[in-house]
Amino acid sequence: MTTPVGATQIEIAKFRCYVVPSDSDQTYLLEVRNDESARKYLAAQASKITIDLPSQFLDKADIFSETVNNRLANAFSQVNRLKKMSSLLADLLDSALEEEISQHLMAVLNQIKEAEQATAEAFQALLKAGKPS
């Protein structure tokens, strides 16, 4: 049950490392802010992030506790929100105001954190649910 959510965690971590490398190099962020094609590429990469909920969740959600259901639903929502926010950033033309582009970019960066946190919480909830009492 944890594998799909764990895979999503890895995808988001890879995406985060691509967007904001661990060495704090902001070259890519500047490119995204200044270049429409870089924004479109970022959105294309974000669109590849998937969260496949466990089939048990889709078939029989009542087998999970309310906490697990809530965590899974939140993770699903946050990942989809990341994709949507990245898409909105990609829709901004180079002629858009720099401040508007920067605000959208900051929203995407914050959403990466939100999606990472939500998937981590869902993963932990699934792990806890899978342990015998």
Side-chain angles (χ1 to χ4, degrees):
M1 284 192 305
T2 59
T3 302
V5 178
T8 301
Q9 279 185 288
I10 293 169
E11 288 180 47
I12 295 171
K14 285 180 182 178
F15 182 68
R16 177 184 36 81
C17 289
Y18 175 74
V19 175
V20 184
S22 59
D23 63 1
S24 300
D25 182 9
Q26 295 192 357
T27 305
Y28 182 71
L29 292 176
L30 292 172
E31 185 179 340
V32 168
R33 191 181 73 191
N34 296 324
D35 183 33
E36 183 180 337
S37 62
R39 291 190 292 277
K40 290 187 185 309
Y41 185 77
L42 176 117
Q45 295 306 306
S47 71
K48 293 178 184 178
I49 299 171
T50 59
I51 183 163
D52 297 320
L53 297 176
S55 60
Q56 298 92 329
F57 181 78
L58 301 174
D59 296 336
K60 298 178 183 176
D62 60 337
I63 66 170
F64 293 115
S65 70
E66 183 178 347
T67 300
V68 172
N69 286 337
N70 289 342
R71 296 290 190 273
L72 287 170
N74 186 43
F76 188 77
S77 173
Q78 295 299 332
V79 168
N80 284 329
R81 191 166 185 233
L82 173 58
K83 292 179 190 184
K84 182 63 178 169
M85 292 179 91
S86 298
S87 175
L88 291 172
L89 175 64
D91 290 344
L92 294 175
L93 303 175
D94 284 337
S95 59
L97 295 175
E98 185 177 323
E99 181 180 333
E100 183 180 13
I101 294 170
S102 293
Q103 287 175 348
H104 277 72
L105 181 55
M106 286 304 300
V108 169
L109 295 174
N110 287 328
Q111 190 56 41
I112 291 170
K113 288 179 191 175
E114 292 292 325
E116 254 186 323
Q117 182 178 350
T119 54
E121 290 172 0
F123 187 80
Q124 290 303 314
L126 284 169
L127 278 179
K128 187 175 180 181
K131 289 182 181 177
S133 298

